Amino acid sequence: MADLKSLAKDTAIYGLSSIIGRFLNYLLVPLYTAKLAAASGGYGVITEVYSYVALLLVILTFGMETTFFRFVNKSDEDPRRVYSTTLIAVGTVGLVFIALVLLFLPTVSAFLDYADHPEYISMMAICVAIDAFQCITFAYLRYQRRPIKFAALKLLFIFANILLNVVFFVVLDCRDVFYAFAANLFCTAAITFFFYPELTGFRWQFDRRLLRRMLAYAWPILVLGIAGILNQTADKMIFPRMVEGQEGKVQLGIYGASVKIAMIMAMITQAFRYAYEPFVFAGQKDKDNRETYARAMKFFIIFTLLAFLVVVGYLDVLKYIIAPGYWEGLKVVPIVMAAEIMMGVYFNLSFWYKLIDRTIWGAWFSGAGCLVLITVNVLFIPQYGYMACAWAGVAGYGTAMLLSYFVGQKYYPIAYPLKSIAVYVLIAALFFAVMTFTPREWPALVRLGINTVCILLFVGHILYHDLPLASLPVVGKYFRKK
């Protein structure tokens, strides 16, 4: 139980930076959608370019973030040597990437259909290379259990980025997506200087033998990561190719803006991952923590289901995050959130093959999920538009999740509380149905009231069965029997 409390504490701090950060970034969504009309396709450009950035970030870190945690926690490895070797490897790859993009910029820009705006590509190429390098320094903070500095730097970047965007789009009344990319690049580069203590004070060493062993562990994670990020971004890359011209950018912008509302799931998953990854690898030194992993999985599902109900229940309020011109895409929100829950479950399941050094399984699972997702997109986008993108995510993540569970039970069996989890899923599905089929003609306050009752009933079930009030920190003492 002490381990779970430590995990919860770190998750809360990482989650604070992640959730507050995402919330603050939401301030950019109404800003962009207000200044870049849906018909302009400007937000579609932002959505597409950042989908490529997400993929490139995975490629340029090439699995070394997770690999760093695996090797730095080995008793026979020098942590400083592992850290230094990882920094040099990722930094070198990033520099080579920048050089190649700038050397072949006209060709790359034309291939991505941005021949008229090569500056978009050059700026984001530099930005993603710096991001990749910072992934390792942020990982080092997590290894050192320094969530405060981690959260502070994440929030500093977001505040600075928002400030610059406000200056460009509000004060100067700019209407070009160039300024969104320029603000991102400036803030990303500036944050690097705050890692001076983590980049000095030790002897930089590059151990080729160590790197070879790390790469042997990392390459399946790279394949896994590419497949995983394609599960999140392939639809945004494929859509403009299937729906060409300005209409493709317009529809992609509507879809991309609506998906932002569903990203509460990504916040929770990311916060959990930041704390859970070092927790798992460090815990394996002491004992077999399978029971702890099972309980962590259950609570992850419980609280993501609660988040799902909250977002769906208050969608009539949350929709004002984006401009009215984008509201037609709101129907994808519950579907995308369901896919994000499956992705989170898959991430939690993934530790069985990482702990036994069989990361190749992750590559197979993610590859299968990615293949399903791409197939659904290609087959159904022409007929169903961005709704096909939303359902493709469910199909892809669902495939990877189920494969990982069934194979994992053979090689690293964990007794997950499936019956209890199933009860929560069924209850959440019931309340979702009530929220969905409440007549839209009823007053908004009545519908919000019904949805609130559903959410409170779900919370009541959690408190009664799995999280009694007496066990809660701070307030729990008031509910304990004397």
Side-chain angles (χ1 to χ4, degrees), residues 15-268:
L16 184 65
S17 66
S18 179
I19 292 173
I20 292 178
R22 290 293 182 105
F23 174 76
L24 292 173
N25 267 332
Y26 276 156
L27 298 179
L28 295 177
V29 178
L31 177 62
Y32 290 152
T33 56
K35 293 293 184 178
L36 305 171
S40 72
Y43 198 75
V45 172
I46 291 176
T47 300
E48 182 182 11
V49 170
Y50 277 117
S51 68
Y52 285 107
V53 167
L55 174 61
L56 287 169
L57 184 60
V58 171
I59 294 173
L60 294 181
T61 52
F62 51 97
M64 293 300 283
E65 187 178 5
T66 298
T67 302
F68 166 77
F69 283 117
R70 180 70 176 102
F71 279 77
V72 82
N73 281 292
K74 287 188 173 183
S75 57
D76 57 341
E77 298 289 356
D78 177 6
R80 292 287 190 180
R81 185 183 297 271
V82 172
Y83 177 54
S84 177
T85 299
T86 306
L87 281 176
I88 293 172
V90 174
T92 302
V93 170
L95 289 174
V96 171
F97 170 75
I98 292 173
L100 290 174
V101 169
L102 295 181
L103 183 62
F104 298 102
L105 185 59
T107 303
V108 174
S109 301
F111 176 76
L112 295 176
D113 200 25
Y114 288 100
D116 295 335
H117 296 283
E119 67 275 13
Y120 296 172
I121 307 304
S122 59
M123 284 192 297
M124 297 318 295
I126 297 171
C127 186
V128 74
I130 298 173
D131 262 336
F133 184 77
Q134 288 181 1
C135 279
I136 306 305
T137 51
F138 274 117
Y140 187 64
L141 292 178
R142 290 158 59 197
Y143 161 70
Q144 291 188 313
R145 296 291 179 90
R146 297 171 63 194
I148 300 298
K149 181 170 183 177
F150 180 100
L153 290 181
K154 290 287 185 180
L155 292 176
L156 176 62
F157 166 81
I158 292 165
F159 277 116
N161 191 38
I162 290 174
L163 179 61
L164 275 182
N165 274 279
V166 168
V167 170
F168 288 141
F169 288 98
V170 177
V171 178
L172 302 178
D173 196 29
C174 300
R175 304 274 175 164
D176 193 331
V177 298
F178 167 87
Y179 297 99
F181 299 143
N184 193 338
L185 175 58
F186 176 83
C187 295
T188 300
I191 289 297
T192 306
F193 293 99
F194 290 91
F195 284 112
Y196 180 79
E198 284 72 37
L199 297 174
T200 58
F202 64 93
R203 181 187 171 201
W204 284 68
Q205 305 172 76
F206 181 69
D207 189 326
R208 293 183 180 180
R209 293 183 179 179
L210 171 62
L211 181 62
R212 281 197 292 268
R213 288 188 287 115
M214 294 180 75
L215 290 177
Y217 181 87
W219 78 261
I221 297 177
L222 170 61
V223 176
L224 183 158
I226 291 174
I229 202 64
L230 284 176
N231 280 330
Q232 300 178 47
T233 61
D235 53 350
K236 302 170 188 67
M237 300 177 189
I238 295 171
F239 192 89
R241 287 4 181 218
M242 305 296 293
V243 184
E244 298 181 354
Q246 182 67 9
E247 182 61 19
K249 293 288 193 292
V250 170
Q251 293 298 311
L252 180 61
I254 292 172
Y255 173 63
S258 300
V259 164
K260 286 292 185 181
I261 298 176
M263 286 299 102
I264 183 69
M265 290 303 166
M267 297 181 206
I268 295 174

Side-chain angles (χ1 to χ4, degrees), residues 188-420:
T188 300
I191 289 297
T192 306
F193 293 99
F194 290 91
F195 284 112
Y196 180 79
E198 284 72 37
L199 297 174
T200 58
F202 64 93
R203 181 187 171 201
W204 284 68
Q205 305 172 76
F206 181 69
D207 189 326
R208 293 183 180 180
R209 293 183 179 179
L210 171 62
L211 181 62
R212 281 197 292 268
R213 288 188 287 115
M214 294 180 75
L215 290 177
Y217 181 87
W219 78 261
I221 297 177
L222 170 61
V223 176
L224 183 158
I226 291 174
I229 202 64
L230 284 176
N231 280 330
Q232 300 178 47
T233 61
D235 53 350
K236 302 170 188 67
M237 300 177 189
I238 295 171
F239 192 89
R241 287 4 181 218
M242 305 296 293
V243 184
E244 298 181 354
Q246 182 67 9
E247 182 61 19
K249 293 288 193 292
V250 170
Q251 293 298 311
L252 180 61
I254 292 172
Y255 173 63
S258 300
V259 164
K260 286 292 185 181
I261 298 176
M263 286 299 102
I264 183 69
M265 290 303 166
M267 297 181 206
I268 295 174
T269 302
Q270 185 181 56
F272 195 83
R273 178 196 168 193
Y274 283 152
Y276 196 51
E277 197 163 47
F279 164 79
V280 168
F281 284 126
Q284 68 172 326
K285 295 177 180 178
D286 304 321
K287 58 181 179 179
D288 193 344
N289 283 324
R290 300 188 198 206
E291 183 179 349
T292 301
Y293 303 154
R295 287 173 56 82
M297 170 70 84
K298 178 180 176 178
F299 282 106
F300 173 81
I301 293 175
I302 288 173
F303 288 108
T304 51
L305 288 174
L306 175 59
F308 175 89
L309 292 176
V310 169
V311 173
V312 173
Y314 296 105
L315 193 56
D316 283 339
V317 177
L318 294 173
K319 69 181 181 181
Y320 289 99
I321 291 173
I322 60 179
Y326 294 82
W327 285 358
E328 67 178 80
L330 291 175
K331 53 185 175 288
V332 306
V333 172
I335 305 169
V336 174
M337 283 199 300
E340 287 290 333
I341 292 176
M342 292 180 181
M343 189 273 283
V345 172
Y346 172 55
F347 172 79
N348 285 304
L349 291 170
S350 70
F351 276 95
W352 70 261
Y353 53 76
K354 293 178 182 177
L355 288 172
I356 64 173
D357 293 348
R358 296 288 298 277
T359 50
I360 186 62
W361 281 110
W364 286 112
F365 301 149
S366 292
C370 184
L371 180 62
V372 170
L373 180 142
I374 292 174
T375 301
V376 172
N377 275 302
V378 171
L379 291 179
F380 296 107
I381 283 178
Q383 183 175 357
Y384 298 104
Y386 54 71
M387 288 300 293
C389 299
W391 282 109
V394 172
Y397 287 136
T399 298
M401 177 185 71
L402 292 173
L403 286 174
S404 184
Y405 172 75
F406 287 112
V407 177
Q409 289 303 99
K410 177 181 178 181
Y411 289 96
Y412 194 86
I414 297 176
Y416 294 108
L418 297 181
K419 290 183 179 180
S420 179

